[in-house]
Amino acid sequence: MTLPVLIVTIILSLLKILVSCLPTDAVNWIISKFKIHSEISGGNAIVTFDGKRLEGEEKIQVINYFNSTRFLKGNHIFPGNEELFLHPDNSGTPLVIDTKRGKKDVRLFLYIYSDRVDVVKRYKKKLISYSLFSDSLQERSMPLIRNLV
């Protein structure tokens, strides 16, 4: 009876030491798997506004603005209310960013307001909504978007 308990105790102790001594890169990789708001690389992203594809400097600028935003809060989506988040009232035309996260295709809808940026992330059959704060997107990209229309 004592031998199995001793073996289990040793295995659990080794597991505890292994988990508590993970290298920084491994910890960052694990944390990145659970991030809601992850950064986008410009190489594999397609940015569109009102059906027009942004290219070159405009695309890089929008992606840099998006990557430098601050997370405000997550919005809970109740089943059946998905369309309210995808097509909100008085929101205007969203910026749409198509990108890949690992093997998954991810589509981000950015609804820009004066006090926040609402993001609706769609991948597989899941829908996640959250709000961001970004002076750059809220102020500087509005003239850019108005020029495209």
Side-chain angles (χ1 to χ4, degrees), residues 8-79:
V8 168
T9 304
I10 291 172
I11 291 173
L12 289 177
S13 298
L14 289 173
L15 184 65
K16 179 183 176 194
I17 291 171
L18 178 68
V19 169
S20 64
C21 298
L22 285 174
T24 304
D25 292 337
V27 172
N28 289 338
W29 178 78
I30 292 170
I31 290 173
S32 73
K33 292 295 180 186
F34 298 100
K35 274 187 180 178
I36 291 177
H37 176 64
S38 54
E39 291 191 359
I40 299 172
S41 65
N44 62 356
I46 299 170
V47 181
T48 56
F49 177 75
D50 198 23
K52 298 176 184 174
R53 196 169 175 172
L54 300 181
E55 296 292 336
E57 187 62 36
E58 295 170 339
K59 173 184 165 183
I60 293 169
Q61 188 178 21
V62 169
I63 290 173
N64 287 339
Y65 288 162
F66 179 79
N67 288 340
S68 65
T69 58
R70 290 188 315 222
F71 183 84
L72 284 178
K73 65 175 184 166
N75 303 320
H76 184 72
I77 300 176
F78 293 103

Side-chain angles (χ1 to χ4, degrees), residues 37 61-72 95 110-119 131-142:
H37 176 64
Q61 188 178 21
V62 169
I63 290 173
N64 287 339
Y65 288 162
F66 179 79
N67 288 340
S68 65
T69 58
R70 290 188 315 222
F71 183 84
L72 284 178
L95 269 169
L110 278 67
Y111 297 97
I112 301 171
Y113 301 101
S114 60
D115 60 338
R116 70 187 188 285
V117 176
D118 284 343
V119 178
S131 296
L132 303 172
F133 176 76
S134 170
D135 283 334
S136 314
L137 272 176
Q138 290 166 239
E139 296 171 4
R140 295 189 191 116
S141 71
M142 292 313 285

Side-chain angles (χ1 to χ4, degrees), residues 98-116:
D98 293 310
T99 186
K100 282 191 164 285
R101 185 174 177 199
K103 295 179 182 177
K104 298 180 234 172
D105 290 327
V106 178
R107 176 170 274 188
L108 301 167
F109 298 92
L110 278 67
Y111 297 97
I112 301 171
Y113 301 101
S114 60
D115 60 338
R116 70 187 188 285

